[in-house]
């Protein structure tokens, strides 16, 4: 069916440091004398020239659906908020961006962590 946001990450979730909204990771054996890999090594493999940024992927937002959800009171994280379409668009962009960074909400603990981070980012955006 129709959706409001799609994310197309270029890096696997394992490329990011472990976090509550990320995939479960197998236990790593103890590292010895600087040998072995650590979370984030995949990101450091993409050394870029100064002034450039790593492309994490693409986020596609359905502006029409965001406006419809906001105005119909189906916006927000729980789908029960009536607010300005701009607020819904902010949420969807943050949500999609977190997916690019390895966050997910398939499991209850992941969803709780991801939703909390969304609220934190949105609070920072609106107070800046």
């Amino acid at each position: 069916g129709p959706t409001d946001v799609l994310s197309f990450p270029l890096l696997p979730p394992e490329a990011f440091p472990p976090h509550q909204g990320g995939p479960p990771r197998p236990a790593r054996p103890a590292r010895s004398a600087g040998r072995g890999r650590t979370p984030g090594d995949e990101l450091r493999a993409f050394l870029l020239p100064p002034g450039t940024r790593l492309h994490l992927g693409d986020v596609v937002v359905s502006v029409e659906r965001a406006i419809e959800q906001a105005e119909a009171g189906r916006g927000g994280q729980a789908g029960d908020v009536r607010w300005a379409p701009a607020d819904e668009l902010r949420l969807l962009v943050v949500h999609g961006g977190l997916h690019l960074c390895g966050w997910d909400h398939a499991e209850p603990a992941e969803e709780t962590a991801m939703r909390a981070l969304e609220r934190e980012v949105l609070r920072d955006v609106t107070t800046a």
Side-chain angles (χ1 to χ4, degrees):
T3 190
D4 48 13
V5 62
L6 294 170
S7 298
F8 300 95
L10 291 178
L11 299 172
E14 297 79 22
F16 298 92
H19 50 78
Q20 291 177 316
R25 308 244 176 118
R28 292 179 176 258
R31 292 179 52 189
S32 61
R35 294 174 38 177
R37 298 174 59 85
T38 60
D41 283 346
E42 292 85 352
L43 288 178
R44 286 188 283 281
F46 291 97
L47 297 177
L48 300 172
T52 61
R53 295 185 177 152
L54 175 64
H55 185 73
L56 299 175
D58 296 304
V59 175
V60 179
V61 177
S62 170
V63 175
E64 295 83 5
R65 187 146 173 95
I67 291 169
E68 176 188 311
Q69 288 174 180
E71 292 177 347
R74 295 191 321 271
Q77 296 171 328
D80 60 357
V81 175
R82 180 182 304 272
W83 59 3
D87 294 322
E88 185 72 2
L89 286 169
R90 279 186 203 94
L91 172 63
L92 296 176
V93 169
V94 168
H95 184 86
L98 290 178
H99 277 302
L100 295 184
C101 295
W103 288 78
D104 200 3
H105 49 82
E107 300 296 327
E110 293 173 340
E111 181 172 11
T112 299
M114 185 171 178
R115 299 302 186 187
L117 184 54
E118 286 173 352
R119 284 190 298 276
E120 183 179 334
V121 169
L122 289 168
R123 183 179 60 245
D124 291 346
V125 167
T126 57
T127 60

